[in-house]
Amino acid sequence: MALDAAEPCMDIAHLGHVELLTPKPEASLRFFVDVMGMTESGRQGDSVFLRGFDDYETYSLQLTASTTSGLGHAAFRARSPQALARRVAALRADGVAVTAVEGSFGHGTGWRFHDPDGHVFELYYETQWYEAPPAQRPALKNQAQRFPARGVNVRRLDHFNCLAVDVRACRKFFERNLGLRLTERIVLDSGEEAGMWLTATNKSYDFAFTKEAHGVAGRFHHVTFALDSREAILQAADVFLEHGVFIETGPHKHAVQQTFFLYVYEPGGNRVEVANAGARLVLAPDWRPITWTEAERRKGQAWGLKTIESFHTHGTPPLPGEKA
Amino acid sequence: MALDAAEPCMDIAHLGHVELLTPKPEASLRFFVDVMGMTESGRQGDSVFLRGFDDYETYSLQLTASTTSGLGHAAFRARSPQALARRVAALRADGVAVTAVEGSFGHGTGWRFHDPDGHVFELYYETQWYEAPPAQRPALKNQAQRFPARGVNVRRLDHFNCLAVDVRACRKFFERNLGLRLTERIVLDSGEEAGMWLTATNKSYDFAFTKEAHGVAGRFHHVTFALDSREAILQAADVFLEHGVFIETGPHKHAVQQTFFLYVYEPGGNRVEVANAGARLVLAPDWRPITWTEAERRKGQAWGLKTIESFHTHGTPPLPGEKA
Amino acid sequence: MALDAAEPCMDIAHLGHVELLTPKPEASLRFFVDVMGMTESGRQGDSVFLRGFDDYETYSLQLTASTTSGLGHAAFRARSPQALARRVAALRADGVAVTAVEGSFGHGTGWRFHDPDGHVFELYYETQWYEAPPAQRPALKNQAQRFPARGVNVRRLDHFNCLAVDVRACRKFFERNLGLRLTERIVLDSGEEAGMWLTATNKSYDFAFTKEAHGVAGRFHHVTFALDSREAILQAADVFLEHGVFIETGPHKHAVQQTFFLYVYEPGGNRVEVANAGARLVLAPDWRPITWTEAERRKGQAWGLKTIESFHTHGTPPLPGEKA
Amino acid sequence: MALDAAEPCMDIAHLGHVELLTPKPEASLRFFVDVMGMTESGRQGDSVFLRGFDDYETYSLQLTASTTSGLGHAAFRARSPQALARRVAALRADGVAVTAVEGSFGHGTGWRFHDPDGHVFELYYETQWYEAPPAQRPALKNQAQRFPARGVNVRRLDHFNCLAVDVRACRKFFERNLGLRLTERIVLDSGEEAGMWLTATNKSYDFAFTKEAHGVAGRFHHVTFALDSREAILQAADVFLEHGVFIETGPHKHAVQQTFFLYVYEPGGNRVEVANAGARLVLAPDWRPITWTEAERRKGQAWGLKTIESFHTHGTPPLPGEKA
């Protein structure tokens, strides 16, 4: 049967991993292991690979030593080899340069390309499932790894957020080439898009792009890991407090997507969120995107908390002259 | 591009609604509205239609007056008109009688058929999104309906469970004709399948079939509604207790699927579950089904609770001579 | 045996009830019943009496129609008739005018007096236990009333907070005459006390006094009701949002006392808090009071939230010329 | 003023610590540190001293190497030196042998005696407050120790439970000599008391005695530590599961006292409970004890769970011939 152009495209299965750059690799590693409760599952070159206890692949976070902070790349797993081939072909047909990358830790050939704002994305299908060593074997066989009971107990990678100079152009790029679906967005009174949330799954978003305040391309806003409950996020706030981790804002509930959020900075300078997005799912295959106006955004977050200034301005890598 | 036979089929979007039969329609209605915190969204013939506050369609539960309890039918929404056509064609090619049903409340043409055990299933695509009347309008526009703050506050329909004489035959039927994916199953030492869990989404299951103990075809085990958290399920237990609702077992955590569960009987005699399956998602497009053995099942539920006898034997409609 | 002066005095058992004045009695009543989930247990004169499901006495909130908002009085139950007599004698020996009030709804003779800032306090011992009418009878006999499953489900009165021009004088007054114990306080760099928290129980406070910003005596800051968990408070935030209730700040965690808080305004203009103070108890009979400095207070609440301006300035009744 | 005989006596402030005997001291220590998340605060002789992060004294659990399991002793802190003297005098006036014990770790002179069933109790007043070493210093100065974020994160000691051949005699002993207050009890149809719960605080009990099934005096049922929420107890169940700790029953809610419970066995054979008793407080100074009948107990726990047999029969030390 032919894949009809009018049909929703499901070629992308889910967000697979995010690579963070850090100028303080050892301190960042300690943060993700000791405070976030993640597990190291490998090293290669300048990178350490980390995972939450419910990530089924070998890792979901690649931490790479660098001269600065920011996003290395974000990688999505295709639904099948054929789906991967279709998406690579679609990107190339759209005039996008796509490069095959071999030898990546934990997965097969990666197909890399830049989005219109310059961030590096990667698609892959072949992957290595996590095989827990004895000390990490879970009691229940339907779980990838034992529950760590350490730090904030990250369950899995949830999503990430990039900054972009032209949010609308980026949205259309991902809709057109990857078949991702828009669930919510912010449209300014001027008509400019200031934020957009895209999904490949029944989660209401797998990543977001929000407006870059300084006109600098390719910057990163945050990466988010899922915890088990809102109570777990409140407990996480205490854990961050005890460890002297800078809490930027939260815990609170976003009006957009209703995510229960908490934002901190890891030692390398990247913003990291822990969130609970579990109860709410987008099941409609033809979900009607929600558009938030400037007036609506001025109401603040769900329960009235005003969005703090740094949330609109701080990205990684830092701007020239900005403190890391 | 052609849809390769080796590719996962995503034609079914999600479980849409379940029809429960009840010999006590008024008492059942009061239970679902007052205790479950659901909202009536319409009536037609002998049926009342009900919804959780986060169900995006008009309803997720059809309550139909009948001489007995049991499942009327279960309906799944297809991902597109083309997907719907493909599934109907596939069923017919498999020798299954499929009948078009018009005039259903809240959705377009339904295509009905019987599974190998005799339960009635229905596929549809066209649907009516819920439009909240003023009293039900939510504060946040990305939510279908305001939070009820009444009873146990059902968020949405989650899944259902049928009994079947031949579980394996049913599983193969749904995999073959609907493209649903198996995530977990129970296989007895004899090789017989005693349980199977299928999904169309990133939820780890949308319905389950477990072994019928009495050799009677077409019976029903339970329907499940999602609450917001495990804490909400503990609170629900108190609410059921206060209303004199019979609690069969729970709250506890299933080893299979790790669902945090609580089972009660509604006044019409049907088993109803409230569950929190939110934190755990199946993101792998090629998920490797978990098989539980008899020895593993003998360990009881996740934290050692022994599964109570009625859970293996009680279904609806009741057996001849059995008390409703 | 003689009661040694050096011994802690336990004559006050607990906070019994708070009387709130409201210029919008009908709207305030609807708020406390429909949104807060409290139960009306009686009427007398211009007052309606309300209770949480776990309050053992007939009521914990007296709502009195008035020309303005503010505190009517706060009442404490003594531990015994002898303890009551001792406290009245102590007050009088300290030169405080104490007046007997008869005919109060739900309790015996009340002994009323003014604190140094002019708020009205009352002591009593004889009380009427709540006897639940059939519709309110709980399933478990160790609970005063059935769980309401409505609105935010107030469990019980927790504490209240007055404003005072001279916080230290008020603290010494209550320590000296009622034998209440100080658990925490705020001392400004100038040496002035800006806040103090006193307890009669193992709760870390039963009431607090904070500095009045405008030099006006006798004003009220808020009354607080206990909910069952932090998750319940997050859910309460959604309930307030759905009902259009103004949320001033929270949910968040105070550094002082570690209370997990959420502040709203009821229709009559009084600030109302829902809080979860359950996990933390003060068991030490000789608890060493915690003193917070200005520098420490500048760090904001526990997780860094800045305390909003109105929290320091808004009290009831409103100042002349201030909007209610 | 004289302390009237009719007045409630508040001479006992709270349960201070419990000494557990263990034939496997190293394994027991690892359990309490790694799985329970407690902190070692000292060693003396054959004992290791442990604490929860919110215990204000140096320790709340003494773990003593022994040939068997069971209770070493249970210690209560008096409210003042005078209160301690009064209680010792009252015990002696009642014909009880009371022995002064000097040199105890972490507290001053202890006054030891046997209850009618032979368990060893101790009273003391002088105590050593916990002074956190740098690595254990909390971010908030009103907390004794930093939150561990390890294992099940015990907050504090909550209560313990002894078995007794004559429960009523024990109850009267504690009421008469220590002034403890009865909050709930079980009375069999024969008139025999099968359980009683006593408190010195606003917690609804500080310890319980239940009927010994085998007529052997001096045996122990369990010790209980408080966690922060019901969600924490559900998470604890997973932590115990991952560590291979035997879960006897729970998580579930007792009808008696409404405690949300989870019982496991530590490696030395003693039953250990984690519970959340926070939301419910007994504030009434003249609380009317609840009496549960045999018929009421037959209904099982709050949500219908049947009490498992070992809960009625297993105590420590094990009976002769019984497996540890």
Side-chain angles (χ1 to χ4, degrees):
Chain A
M1 280 163 284
L3 181 69
D4 191 301
E7 280 195 80
C9 167
M10 302 296 292
D11 282 350
I12 304 300
H14 64 84
L15 173 63
H17 53 270
V18 165
E19 180 190 14
L20 282 190
L21 308 180
T22 171
K24 298 183 181 173
E26 189 51 36
S28 292
L29 176 59
R30 293 270 49 89
F31 170 82
F32 284 106
V33 172
D34 296 342
V35 184
M36 295 292 277
M38 298 180 76
T39 303
E40 181 182 329
S41 51
R43 299 196 174 202
Q44 189 181 69
D46 286 333
S47 296
V48 181
F49 299 86
L50 295 147
R51 49 178 286 102
F53 75 88
D54 193 31
D55 286 313
Y56 75 93
E57 296 178 273
T58 305
Y59 69 98
S60 59
L61 174 65
Q62 179 178 356
L63 203 56
T64 300
S66 174
T67 54
T68 185
S69 53
L71 177 71
H73 76 285
F76 287 80
R77 190 170 179 216
R79 192 169 297 279
S80 65
Q82 300 89 332
L84 178 60
R86 280 194 296 266
R87 288 312 106 210
V88 171
L91 283 159
R92 286 177 167 161
D94 200 40
V96 180
V98 183
T99 311
V101 177
E102 306 294 345
S104 289
F105 181 81
H107 66 83
T109 308
W111 299 88
R112 293 202 176 192
F113 58 93
H114 291 79
D115 72 25
D117 202 73
H119 307 99
V120 180
F121 277 71
E122 183 179 53
L123 304 180
Y124 67 97
Y125 173 71
E126 297 298 337
T127 195
Q128 192 175 330
W129 287 57
Y130 180 63
E131 289 185 31
Q136 297 297 346
R137 273 192 205 134
L140 296 177
K141 62 199 285 190
N142 50 7
Q143 187 172 306
Q145 180 185 339
R146 72 187 299 175
F147 182 76
R150 182 182 71 246
V152 311
N153 296 309
V154 160
R155 173 174 280 272
R156 59 168 168 73
L157 174 63
D158 191 84
H159 67 269
F160 66 97
N161 190 141
C162 287
L163 297 170
V165 176
D166 187 340
V167 169
R168 177 176 277 120
C170 288
R171 171 176 63 79
K172 291 189 170 176
F173 175 85
F174 291 115
E175 290 176 325
R176 184 171 69 238
N177 291 317
L178 301 190
L180 299 176
R181 294 169 293 144
L182 177 71
T183 53
E184 305 199 15
R185 64 176 172 167
I186 297 169
V187 178
L188 304 182
D189 295 349
S190 65
E192 186 184 0
E193 285 190 25
M196 60 95 175
W197 285 257
L198 292 172
T199 189
T201 62
N202 295 120
K203 292 165 56 232
S204 61
Y205 57 117
D206 292 315
F207 69 94
F209 271 48
T210 44
K211 192 175 160 50
E212 163 65 50
H214 308 285
V216 180
R219 295 217 302 159
F220 181 65
H221 197 264
H222 69 264
V223 62
T224 303
F225 295 91
L227 305 192
D228 273 11
S229 64
R230 300 202 290 191
E231 176 65 22
I233 292 172
L234 300 178
Q235 185 179 296
D238 280 336
V239 175
F240 290 132
L241 179 69
E242 294 289 25
H243 281 84
V245 174
F246 174 68
I247 297 175
E248 186 183 32
T249 185
H252 206 87
K253 177 176 171 170
H254 282 303
V256 176
Q257 300 287 2
Q258 301 200 18
T259 310
F260 190 70
F261 66 82
L262 173 60
Y263 294 93
V264 301
Y265 290 175
E266 57 88 26
N270 295 292
R271 186 188 276 109
V272 174
E273 183 189 24
V274 290
N276 170 242
R280 189 166 169 266
L281 297 175
V282 165
L283 297 173
D286 52 350
W287 176 258
R288 300 166 178 183
I290 305 294
T291 298
W292 300 88
T293 66
E294 273 188 56
E296 289 165 339
R297 296 303 301 133
R298 272 195 290 271
K299 291 182 190 170
Q301 300 305 326
W303 303 319
L305 180 74
K306 292 302 162 198
T307 307
I308 64 171
E309 186 58 23
S310 61
F311 201 73
H312 295 302
T313 58
H314 180 81
T316 48
L319 301 172
E322 205 182 31
K323 192 164 170 290
Chain B
M1 279 166 285
L3 182 68
D4 192 299
E7 280 196 78
C9 166
M10 303 296 293
D11 281 350
I12 303 301
H14 64 85
L15 173 63
H17 54 269
V18 164
E19 182 189 15
L20 282 190
L21 308 180
T22 170
K24 299 183 180 173
E26 190 50 39
S28 292
L29 177 60
R30 294 269 49 87
F31 169 82
F32 284 105
V33 172
D34 297 342
V35 184
M36 295 291 277
M38 298 179 76
T39 303
E40 182 182 329
S41 51
R43 299 196 176 204
Q44 189 181 70
D46 287 334
S47 296
V48 181
F49 300 86
L50 295 147
R51 49 177 287 99
F53 73 90
D54 193 30
D55 285 313
Y56 76 92
E57 296 179 272
T58 305
Y59 69 98
S60 59
L61 174 65
Q62 178 177 358
L63 205 55
T64 300
S66 174
T67 54
T68 185
S69 53
L71 177 72
H73 76 286
F76 287 80
R77 191 169 179 217
R79 193 168 295 279
S80 65
Q82 301 89 331
L84 178 60
R86 280 194 296 266
R87 291 309 107 213
V88 171
L91 283 159
R92 284 177 169 162
D94 200 41
V96 180
V98 183
T99 311
V101 177
E102 306 294 345
S104 289
F105 180 81
H107 67 82
T109 307
W111 299 87
R112 292 203 178 192
F113 57 94
H114 291 78
D115 73 25
D117 201 73
H119 307 98
V120 180
F121 278 70
E122 183 180 52
L123 303 180
Y124 67 97
Y125 172 73
E126 297 298 337
T127 194
Q128 193 176 330
W129 287 57
Y130 180 64
E131 290 185 31
Q136 297 298 345
R137 274 192 204 133
L140 297 177
K141 62 199 287 190
N142 50 9
Q143 187 172 306
Q145 180 185 339
R146 71 188 301 174
F147 182 76
R150 182 182 71 246
V152 312
N153 296 308
V154 161
R155 173 174 280 272
R156 59 169 168 73
L157 174 62
D158 192 84
H159 67 269
F160 66 97
N161 190 141
C162 287
L163 296 171
V165 176
D166 187 340
V167 170
R168 176 177 276 121
C170 288
R171 171 175 63 80
K172 291 188 170 177
F173 175 86
F174 291 115
E175 289 177 323
R176 184 171 70 239
N177 290 317
L178 300 189
L180 300 175
R181 293 169 294 143
L182 176 71
T183 53
E184 304 199 14
R185 64 174 172 169
I186 297 168
V187 178
L188 304 183
D189 296 348
S190 66
E192 186 183 1
E193 284 190 27
M196 61 95 175
W197 285 257
L198 292 172
T199 189
T201 63
N202 295 120
K203 291 165 56 235
S204 61
Y205 57 117
D206 293 316
F207 69 94
F209 272 47
T210 44
K211 191 174 161 48
E212 164 64 49
H214 308 283
V216 180
R219 297 217 302 158
F220 181 64
H221 196 264
H222 69 265
V223 61
T224 302
F225 295 92
L227 305 191
D228 274 11
S229 63
R230 299 201 291 191
E231 177 64 23
I233 292 173
L234 300 178
Q235 186 179 294
D238 280 336
V239 175
F240 290 132
L241 179 70
E242 295 288 26
H243 281 83
V245 174
F246 174 68
I247 298 175
E248 186 184 31
T249 183
H252 205 89
K253 178 175 172 169
H254 281 303
V256 177
Q257 299 287 1
Q258 301 201 17
T259 311
F260 191 69
F261 66 82
L262 173 60
Y263 293 93
V264 302
Y265 290 174
E266 58 90 25
N270 295 293
R271 186 188 278 109
V272 174
E273 183 189 25
V274 289
N276 170 240
R280 189 168 169 265
L281 297 175
V282 165
L283 297 173
D286 52 350
W287 176 257
R288 301 167 178 182
I290 304 294
T291 298
W292 300 88
T293 65
E294 272 188 56
E296 288 165 339
R297 296 303 301 130
R298 271 194 292 269
K299 291 182 189 172
Q301 300 304 327
W303 301 319
L305 181 73
K306 291 302 160 196
T307 308
I308 64 172
E309 187 56 24
S310 61
F311 200 73
H312 294 302
T313 58
H314 181 81
T316 47
L319 300 172
E322 205 183 31
K323 192 163 172 291
Chain C
M1 281 163 283
L3 182 68
D4 191 301
E7 279 196 79
C9 166
M10 302 296 293
D11 281 350
I12 303 301
H14 63 86
L15 173 64
H17 54 270
V18 164
E19 181 189 15
L20 282 190
L21 308 181
T22 171
K24 299 184 179 172
E26 191 49 40
S28 292
L29 176 60
R30 293 269 49 86
F31 169 83
F32 284 105
V33 172
D34 297 342
V35 185
M36 295 292 277
M38 298 178 78
T39 303
E40 181 182 329
S41 50
R43 299 195 175 205
Q44 188 181 71
D46 286 334
S47 296
V48 181
F49 299 86
L50 294 147
R51 49 177 286 101
F53 74 88
D54 193 29
D55 285 313
Y56 77 93
E57 296 178 274
T58 305
Y59 68 98
S60 59
L61 175 65
Q62 178 177 358
L63 206 55
T64 301
S66 174
T67 55
T68 185
S69 52
L71 176 72
H73 75 287
F76 287 81
R77 191 170 179 218
R79 193 169 295 278
S80 65
Q82 300 89 331
L84 178 60
R86 279 193 296 265
R87 289 310 106 212
V88 172
L91 283 159
R92 287 178 169 161
D94 200 41
V96 180
V98 183
T99 312
V101 177
E102 306 293 345
S104 289
F105 180 82
H107 66 84
T109 307
W111 300 87
R112 292 203 177 193
F113 58 94
H114 290 79
D115 72 25
D117 202 74
H119 306 98
V120 180
F121 278 71
E122 183 179 53
L123 303 181
Y124 67 98
Y125 173 72
E126 297 298 336
T127 195
Q128 191 174 331
W129 287 57
Y130 180 64
E131 289 185 30
Q136 297 297 346
R137 276 195 202 131
L140 296 177
K141 61 198 288 190
N142 50 7
Q143 188 172 306
Q145 179 185 339
R146 74 187 297 176
F147 182 77
R150 180 181 74 245
V152 312
N153 296 310
V154 161
R155 173 175 279 272
R156 59 169 168 74
L157 173 62
D158 191 84
H159 66 270
F160 66 97
N161 190 142
C162 287
L163 296 171
V165 176
D166 186 340
V167 170
R168 176 176 278 121
C170 288
R171 169 174 64 79
K172 290 188 171 178
F173 175 86
F174 291 115
E175 290 177 324
R176 185 172 68 239
N177 291 316
L178 301 189
L180 299 175
R181 292 169 295 143
L182 177 72
T183 53
E184 305 199 13
R185 63 176 173 168
I186 297 169
V187 177
L188 303 183
D189 296 348
S190 65
E192 187 183 0
E193 285 191 26
M196 61 96 176
W197 285 257
L198 292 172
T199 189
T201 62
N202 295 120
K203 293 165 55 234
S204 60
Y205 57 117
D206 292 316
F207 69 94
F209 271 48
T210 45
K211 192 177 161 44
E212 163 66 49
H214 308 285
V216 180
R219 296 218 302 160
F220 180 65
H221 197 264
H222 69 264
V223 62
T224 303
F225 295 92
L227 305 191
D228 274 12
S229 63
R230 300 203 289 193
E231 176 65 23
I233 292 172
L234 300 178
Q235 185 179 296
D238 280 336
V239 175
F240 290 131
L241 180 69
E242 295 289 25
H243 280 83
V245 173
F246 174 68
I247 298 175
E248 186 185 31
T249 184
H252 204 87
K253 177 176 172 169
H254 282 303
V256 176
Q257 299 287 3
Q258 302 202 18
T259 310
F260 191 70
F261 66 82
L262 174 59
Y263 293 93
V264 302
Y265 291 174
E266 59 89 25
N270 294 293
R271 186 187 277 110
V272 174
E273 183 188 25
V274 290
N276 169 241
R280 189 167 168 266
L281 297 175
V282 165
L283 296 174
D286 52 352
W287 176 258
R288 301 167 177 181
I290 304 294
T291 298
W292 300 87
T293 66
E294 272 189 56
E296 288 166 340
R297 294 304 300 131
R298 272 195 291 271
K299 291 182 189 171
Q301 300 304 328
W303 302 318
L305 181 73
K306 292 301 161 198
T307 307
I308 65 171
E309 186 57 24
S310 61
F311 201 73
H312 295 302
T313 58
H314 180 80
T316 46
L319 301 172
E322 205 183 30
K323 192 164 170 293
Chain D
M1 280 166 284
L3 182 69
D4 192 299
E7 280 197 79
C9 166
M10 301 297 291
D11 282 349
I12 303 300
H14 63 85
L15 172 63
H17 54 269
V18 164
E19 181 189 16
L20 281 190
L21 309 181
T22 171
K24 298 183 181 173
E26 190 51 38
S28 292
L29 177 60
R30 293 269 50 87
F31 170 82
F32 283 105
V33 172
D34 297 341
V35 184
M36 295 292 277
M38 298 179 76
T39 302
E40 181 182 329
S41 51
R43 299 198 174 200
Q44 188 181 71
D46 286 333
S47 295
V48 180
F49 299 86
L50 295 147
R51 49 177 287 103
F53 74 89
D54 194 29
D55 285 313
Y56 76 93
E57 296 179 272
T58 304
Y59 68 98
S60 59
L61 175 65
Q62 178 177 358
L63 205 56
T64 300
S66 173
T67 54
T68 184
S69 52
L71 177 72
H73 75 286
F76 287 81
R77 191 170 178 217
R79 194 169 294 280
S80 65
Q82 300 88 332
L84 178 60
R86 280 194 296 266
R87 289 310 107 213
V88 171
L91 283 159
R92 286 178 168 161
D94 201 41
V96 180
V98 184
T99 311
V101 177
E102 305 294 343
S104 289
F105 181 81
H107 67 83
T109 307
W111 299 87
R112 294 206 176 188
F113 58 93
H114 290 79
D115 73 23
D117 201 72
H119 307 97
V120 180
F121 278 70
E122 182 179 54
L123 303 181
Y124 67 98
Y125 173 72
E126 297 298 337
T127 193
Q128 192 176 331
W129 287 57
Y130 180 63
E131 289 184 33
Q136 298 297 346
R137 273 189 205 137
L140 297 177
K141 61 200 284 189
N142 50 8
Q143 187 172 304
Q145 179 186 340
R146 71 186 300 174
F147 182 76
R150 181 183 70 246
V152 311
N153 296 309
V154 161
R155 174 175 279 273
R156 59 168 169 73
L157 173 63
D158 192 82
H159 67 269
F160 66 97
N161 191 140
C162 287
L163 297 171
V165 176
D166 186 340
V167 170
R168 177 176 277 122
C170 288
R171 170 175 64 79
K172 292 189 170 178
F173 175 86
F174 291 114
E175 290 177 322
R176 185 172 69 238
N177 291 316
L178 301 189
L180 300 176
R181 292 169 295 145
L182 177 71
T183 53
E184 305 199 13
R185 63 175 173 168
I186 297 169
V187 177
L188 303 183
D189 295 348
S190 65
E192 186 183 2
E193 285 190 26
M196 60 95 175
W197 284 258
L198 292 173
T199 190
T201 63
N202 296 120
K203 292 165 55 233
S204 61
Y205 57 117
D206 292 315
F207 68 94
F209 271 47
T210 45
K211 192 177 161 45
E212 163 65 49
H214 309 284
V216 180
R219 295 217 303 158
F220 181 65
H221 197 263
H222 69 265
V223 62
T224 303
F225 295 92
L227 305 191
D228 273 11
S229 63
R230 299 202 291 193
E231 176 66 21
I233 292 173
L234 300 178
Q235 185 180 296
D238 280 336
V239 175
F240 290 131
L241 180 68
E242 295 289 25
H243 280 84
V245 174
F246 174 67
I247 297 175
E248 186 184 32
T249 184
H252 204 89
K253 178 177 171 168
H254 282 303
V256 176
Q257 300 286 3
Q258 301 201 17
T259 310
F260 191 70
F261 65 82
L262 173 60
Y263 293 93
V264 302
Y265 290 174
E266 58 89 25
N270 295 292
R271 187 188 275 110
V272 174
E273 183 189 24
V274 289
N276 170 242
R280 189 166 169 268
L281 297 174
V282 165
L283 296 174
D286 52 351
W287 177 258
R288 300 167 178 183
I290 304 295
T291 298
W292 299 89
T293 65
E294 272 187 56
E296 288 165 339
R297 296 302 302 131
R298 272 194 290 270
K299 291 181 189 170
Q301 300 304 327
W303 302 318
L305 180 74
K306 292 301 162 199
T307 308
I308 63 172
E309 186 56 23
S310 61
F311 201 72
H312 294 302
T313 57
H314 180 80
T316 46
L319 300 172
E322 203 182 31
K323 193 164 169 292

